[in-house]
Amino acid sequence: MIYIYGLSGLEQGFAKYSHVVKENVIETNLFLFKLVIGSIIIVSFISSIFLIYYYNSISINFFLLIVTSVCMSSLLFLYSIFRINSNFVIAQLLQNGFKIILFFIALLLLVLKRFYKNEIIFLVMLSIIITFIFGILKLKKMRFVFVDTTTRNTILVSGVFFLIATATFSIINFADRYLIENKFGLAVVGDYFYLSNIFLAPFSILQGYIGFKKLVHYKNSFTIENFKKNNRTNLIYGFLLSILLIIFYFLIIEIGIGTFDFLKYKTVFILLLLLGIAKIYSSGIYPAFDVVIDVKNLKIAKTTILIISLFILLITFFYAKTIEIIISSLIIVWVIKTLILRWFLINQETNNNFE
């Protein structure tokens, strides 16, 4: 949660309003830079107090918790810096470095048969701090040039609506598990989580990769023709991945791997593939929208998406009777919000070109 919300949506504003002048030299707004630093400190402090107060059964050194929270929030900022500088490998290491370190720590603990809660929490924090230090050492090569080409009001408004977009994205991403647990209990959530990890996670990985690369691509060059071509290509990728997963699905059933009853959830499997295709299609639209759209269209589009998403999810919460209906609702939400972003973006650029 700290990683997602630590910058209060300003990481998207930073990506939008910052530009690479030359290699390792980024031109950005000083006010925006100060806002990011302020958000890191304030959110880290508040979230640490929240954790200590509401989860007081967990014994954590408060100073270490503050330091770790600041490091965690800063990782998203460092990720954004190296991402727009086209240092994709470093950016990915900053985003996932602590997970990689934690994986090896977990293996070591498994071998040693050490499963002490406080010890594990400390090692998680240590992994985050080590990743942050790695990012800071790499940051020494970077130089920032501060300009005032964007007004403070524009930056603040953009930050608010990017934060709304982040919240909307989080709600949609976690809605399925919450709704299924509320309607059908933890046992069914376990089955669904198992299925989604196998048949939906590959789409999410590909979605993240496409969005990661395309943001920089669209910052440097954006045309409607290229945008539409990339969207068609992403759709093809989605269908090809679906075919591979369908083959994998039938192999699992034929070979009889494990004891899980896949045939019981064959409709869920099909719907997860459709949801995955919708996510892949959106992966090229979101980064283009974030870096190209103006503030006026940003406000209207993000507010519209939030209202429609909450409306559909509330109806689903009260009236959904099956898992299939819940997944279908999520597919509808993904398709609608993607088409809204696409329409606003193409409409804006068409009008600009016409003028």
Side-chain angles (χ1 to χ4, degrees):
M1 292 295 288
I2 292 174
Y3 182 80
I4 294 171
Y5 294 104
L7 300 189
S8 305
L10 292 169
E11 74 282 357
Q12 296 176 65
F14 180 81
K16 181 177 179 64
Y17 298 119
S18 302
H19 306 277
V20 177
V21 179
K22 60 181 180 179
E23 187 179 2
N24 296 332
V25 179
I26 296 177
E27 184 181 88
T28 189
N29 187 285
L30 181 59
F31 177 68
L32 173 59
F33 197 88
K34 289 179 178 178
L35 273 180
V36 169
I37 301 301
S39 179
I40 288 172
I41 295 170
I42 293 170
V43 172
S44 298
F45 187 76
I46 292 174
S47 59
S48 297
I49 292 175
F50 177 86
L51 182 64
I52 292 292
Y53 183 79
Y54 284 98
Y55 296 92
N56 49 33
S57 60
I58 301 174
S59 178
I60 304 177
N61 180 279
F62 185 71
F63 176 76
L64 181 59
L65 180 59
I66 288 285
V67 171
T68 307
S69 300
V70 169
C71 291
M72 196 68 194
S73 298
S74 300
L75 282 176
L76 181 55
F77 186 37
L78 293 172
Y79 164 82
S80 299
I81 292 171
F82 287 102
R83 182 186 186 187
I84 64 173
N85 197 50
S86 299
N87 302 122
F88 298 122
V89 174
I90 295 175
Q92 285 294 319
L93 286 173
L94 291 171
Q95 186 181 45
N96 301 297
F98 77 94
K99 302 174 189 175
I100 297 169
I101 296 171
L102 191 59
F103 171 74
F104 288 107
I105 290 174
L107 286 180
L108 179 62
L109 293 176
L110 190 63
V111 171
L112 297 175
K113 295 186 174 7
R114 293 181 66 91
F115 303 104
Y116 302 109
K117 184 173 65 176
N118 290 340
E119 188 176 85
I120 292 172
I121 290 172
F122 173 77
L123 291 172
V124 170
M125 291 179 164
L126 187 62
S127 303
I128 294 168
I129 294 170
I130 290 171
T131 307
F132 170 75
I133 293 172
F134 165 78
I136 291 297
L137 292 174
K138 290 294 181 181
L139 192 64
K140 287 183 177 181
K141 297 180 180 179
M142 306 287 295
R143 187 164 66 88
F144 295 94
V145 177
F146 297 109
V147 294
D148 292 319
T149 53
T150 308
T151 66
R152 293 188 175 190
N153 183 63
T154 299
I155 291 171
L156 288 171
V157 171
S158 298
V160 169
F161 283 92
F162 278 132
L163 181 59
I164 290 173
T166 303
T168 305
F169 184 79
S170 299
I171 291 168
I172 295 170
N173 264 359
F174 291 102
D176 50 356
R177 278 158 280 186
Y178 173 78
L179 290 170
I180 290 171
E181 179 186 354
N182 186 271
K183 293 285 183 178
F184 310 108
L186 279 174
V188 179
V189 171
D191 288 352
Y192 175 77
F193 193 69
Y194 184 78
L195 286 167
S196 63
N197 275 340
I198 297 175
F199 300 116
L200 189 58
F203 290 102
S204 298
I205 294 170
L206 182 58
Q207 175 194 14
Y209 177 77
I210 293 172
F212 174 78
K213 298 281 285 190
K214 287 301 177 184
L215 183 138
V216 177
H217 171 78
Y218 287 131
K219 273 187 71 68
N220 297 328
S221 174
F222 179 86
T223 63
I224 294 176
E225 294 74 20
N226 187 40
F227 173 69
K228 290 180 177 179
K229 180 183 177 182
N230 286 333
N231 291 337
R232 289 193 294 269
T233 302
N234 293 340
L235 201 57
I236 292 171
Y237 286 153
F239 280 110
L240 290 175
L241 183 55
S242 295
I243 292 170
L244 290 175
L245 289 172
I246 288 170
I247 294 171
F248 180 66
Y249 174 78
F250 282 109
L251 282 174
I252 290 175
I253 294 173
E254 186 68 27
I255 298 173
I257 299 173
T259 59
F260 188 84
D261 188 2
F262 286 96
L263 288 174
K264 178 183 175 182
Y265 291 106
K266 55 182 178 293
T267 308
V268 172
F269 163 68
I270 294 169
L271 289 172
L272 285 175
L273 294 183
L274 293 175
L275 179 58
I277 292 171
K279 286 188 170 188
I280 294 296
Y281 183 68
S282 74
S283 62
I285 294 174
Y286 273 81
F289 182 90
D290 287 347
V291 298
V292 175
I293 206 70
D294 60 34
V295 175
K296 177 184 175 183
N297 287 314
L298 172 68
K299 291 191 289 185
I300 299 171
K302 296 298 187 182
T303 304
T304 303
I305 290 170
L306 176 62
I307 293 170
I308 291 175
S309 299
L310 290 176
F311 177 73
I312 294 173
L313 292 175
L314 280 173
I315 291 176
T316 305
F317 177 77
F318 287 111
Y319 296 105
K321 303 296 182 183
T322 64
I323 297 177
E324 288 81 357
I325 292 175
I326 291 174
I327 302 174
S328 298
S329 298
L330 291 175
I331 294 171
I332 292 170
V333 169
W334 271 97
V335 170
I336 288 176
K337 72 172 187 167
T338 302
L339 293 179
I340 288 174
L341 295 180
R342 185 180 186 276
W343 184 88
F344 271 95
L345 184 57
I346 291 177
N347 186 61
Q348 172 188 290
E349 293 304 293
T350 301
N351 290 338
N352 289 343
N353 292 337
F354 179 76
E355 292 171 1

